[in-house]
Amino acid sequence: MTENVSAASGQSQNADGKVKSDLTAANKPDWRKSFASLGNRKLWAVFFLGFASGLPYVLITGTLNAWFTNENIDVKTIGVFSWVIIIYGFKFLWSPLVDRAAYPAVLSMGQRRAGILLLQGVIIACLAIISTASPQTQIGLIAIAAVLCTLAASSQDILIDAWRIEIADENTPIDVLAAVIQLGFRLAAVLGGAFALIIAARIGWNDTFRILAFLMTIAVAGVFIAPNSVIARKATELDEDAPRRTIRNRVMLPVILFWAWSFYALFSFMGFALQSPEEANARQFTREVGPLIVLASVVAPIALSAFLLRYEGTAKVFPNDKAWPAQFALDALYSFVLAPMMDIIRRLRYGAILVLILVLSYRFTDLVWGAFAYPFYLGENFGALGHTNDEVAIASKFFGALMTLAGIGIGAAALTRFGRMPCLFVGAVIAAATNLLFADLAVGGARTDAFMSATGLYVVFGALQPVANFLTLDVNMNEALSRLMLVIAVENLAVGFASAAIVAFLSSIANPRYAAVQYALFASLSMLIGSLGRGALGELIEQEGFAYVFLLTAALGLVAVVTTALEWLRQTQTGSTGDVTDA
C-alpha cells in the first residue's frame, strides 16, 4: 500500500484515501527545516499567489470604500455595498465545480494552475472596467464588476488553497506555507491600500485603478513558477461506504433548496438596497433574515451530513436502488459537497460542533468593521477621525501593513515554537482586545494620549516626519496622527498574528483528499458572520457612533476566545493536535 505523506503537517494519506496522523512529528517543530525551505521554488510561487489573492480582496472590500468616501457616498450605502464580500463566505458551494472543472490546457500547466491563470484574467478585466466608472453616476456598473471580480477571486482562492495543501511536504511544511501566503497577501494590502491612497490623491481614482489592474498582472508570475500538484482530481465517484441512493437524494433536495433560498434572500436584498438605500433596512434584515441564512446554508447541510453517517455502507445492501431524474447531478453534489462534510464530522465527531463555532467566530472582530475602516479614518461624523488620504496611507496602509507583516512573522515563529492552539488562543484574545483601542480614539483618545505621553512615544512617531517628507506626502506628524499610528500598529500586529494562526489551523484539519472543498468550507465559514453583519453595522454606526460599535465588536470577540480555549482543552484531553485523523 502506497502513501502520500505530508510530514510537516503530521498527515499521511493511504491509497484508499483514508488519512492518518503522525502526532509525534506534528509536535516537533524544526526551525532548521523551516528556514532552509525559504529558497524553495514552491514558497516563491505561494508568495506570488498570495499577492494575487490579496490584491483583488483589498481593492474590492477596502480600497473601493475609500474611493466612495472621497466621493461622499453615504456610510449606509457603503455598508450595503460591502456585502459583496459575502461571496467569499459562500465559495464552498461552488468549490466542487471549481475543483473538478476541465480547464483549457496551457503549456505544461496542470489543472490547478491553468484554472488559476484563467480566473486571474477575469479579475484583471473586472478591475479595468471599474477603472473607467464613476461612483456618483455608475455605481451599478461598479457593483456588477465588483461581484464578478469577487466571484473570480474567491474561486481563484479555492484552487490556490487546495494546491497549497497538496504540495506541502517535509521541505515546505504546511505551517510555513500558511505564513508565506499571508506575507504575499499582506504585501498586496500595502500596494492596494497605501499606494492606492497616495497616488489617488495625485492622479485620481480612475487612473489609480488602472495601475492596480496592471499590478495584478505581475502576480501571474506565481502561476508560471508554481509546480503542478501531485494529487489528481477524479471524476464523480461514490465511496464504497456511501449511503444508499434514495437516502442521499432525499437529503440533497432540501440542501439544494436551502442554498437556493439563501442566495436569493441575500442578493435580492443587496440589489434592492443599492437601488433604494433609503428604504432598505439592513439592520432589520441582518437581525431577522441573517440567522436564517446561516441556518439554511451552513447549519442544516452540516446537520444533514451528520444524519447521513447513520446510513454509511447501505449502498452495498441496495446496489440497484432506483435512479432519480438528474441522478448524475445529485451524485456529484453528494460526492463533492456532502461527502467532504461527512468526512469532517466522522473525524472530529462531537468536536465538529466546537470547531464550527470557532471557525464562524474567529475572524468576526476584524471582518465585521473592516468595510468601515476608511469611513472611520477619513470621515467627519459619528466619532470618525477626519484624517487625509495621505495620513491614512502612511498610518494604515504603509506603516500598518508593515506591522501586519511583522505580526505574521511573529505568528510563524510562534507556530514553530509553541504550536497551533496556544497561538490560536493568543490571537483570539489580542484581536478582540485591540478594538478597545479604536473605541478610545473614537471618543478623543485620552487613554492613548496618556500612555504615549508617559512613554515618550510622541517623540518616536514625530521622528518619522522625514520619511513622510521623502515620500512627498502631505503629512504633519502631529499627536492625533501619532495616536492613530500606535493603535493601528498594535491592531495590525494582532491581526497578522491571528491570521497566521487561523490559516495554519484550518490547513491542518483539511483532509488532502477533499482539500478544495474542505478548506473552502472552513475559509467561507470564517468570513460568513462578519460579512453578514456589515450591513447592520453601517446603520448602527449612524445611530450609535463608532465608539459604541468598537466596544460591541470587542465584546463579541470573546466568543472566539472562549471557543478557542475549549477546543484547546478538547485537543489536550483527547491527545489530538487538530490534524487530520482517522474516524
Side-chain angles (χ1 to χ4, degrees), residues 453-577:
S453 298
T455 56
L457 284 175
Y458 280 128
V459 176
V460 175
F461 282 101
L464 295 176
Q465 185 67 55
V467 177
N469 296 339
F470 175 76
L471 296 172
T472 67
L473 298 177
D474 183 15
V475 168
N476 177 18
M477 294 299 300
N478 53 34
E479 291 186 352
L481 181 56
S482 297
R483 288 194 294 271
L484 176 64
M485 292 182 71
L486 174 66
V487 171
I488 285 177
V490 176
E491 196 257 354
N492 285 19
L493 281 169
V495 168
F497 186 97
S499 296
I502 190 62
V503 170
F505 175 75
L506 297 181
S507 300
S508 72
I509 60 176
N511 186 336
R513 183 184 183 192
Y514 303 112
V517 176
Q518 287 189 358
Y519 192 87
L521 174 63
F522 293 141
S524 296
L525 294 180
S526 71
M527 302 183 71
L528 188 58
I529 301 298
S531 302
L532 278 173
R534 286 184 167 192
L537 204 67
E539 292 184 2
L540 195 60
I541 289 170
E542 292 186 353
Q543 293 176 8
E544 304 290 346
F546 278 103
Y548 175 87
V549 167
F550 286 127
L551 293 174
L552 177 63
T553 54
L556 293 173
L558 294 176
V559 176
V561 173
V562 172
T563 54
T564 303
L566 292 174
E567 170 62 10
W568 188 4
L569 178 63
R570 184 191 71 83
Q571 291 189 14
T572 301
Q573 292 179 339
T574 61
S576 167
T577 65

Side-chain angles (χ1 to χ4, degrees), residues 139-178:
I139 195 169
L141 176 62
I142 293 176
I144 293 171
V147 167
L148 291 176
C149 184
T150 309
L151 279 169
S154 60
S155 299
Q156 172 197 231
D157 290 355
I158 293 169
L159 295 177
I160 291 175
D161 289 326
W163 172 83
R164 174 174 56 84
I165 293 170
E166 292 166 357
I167 59 127
D169 56 26
E170 187 175 21
N171 295 321
T172 48
I174 200 165
D175 288 350
V176 173
L177 292 175

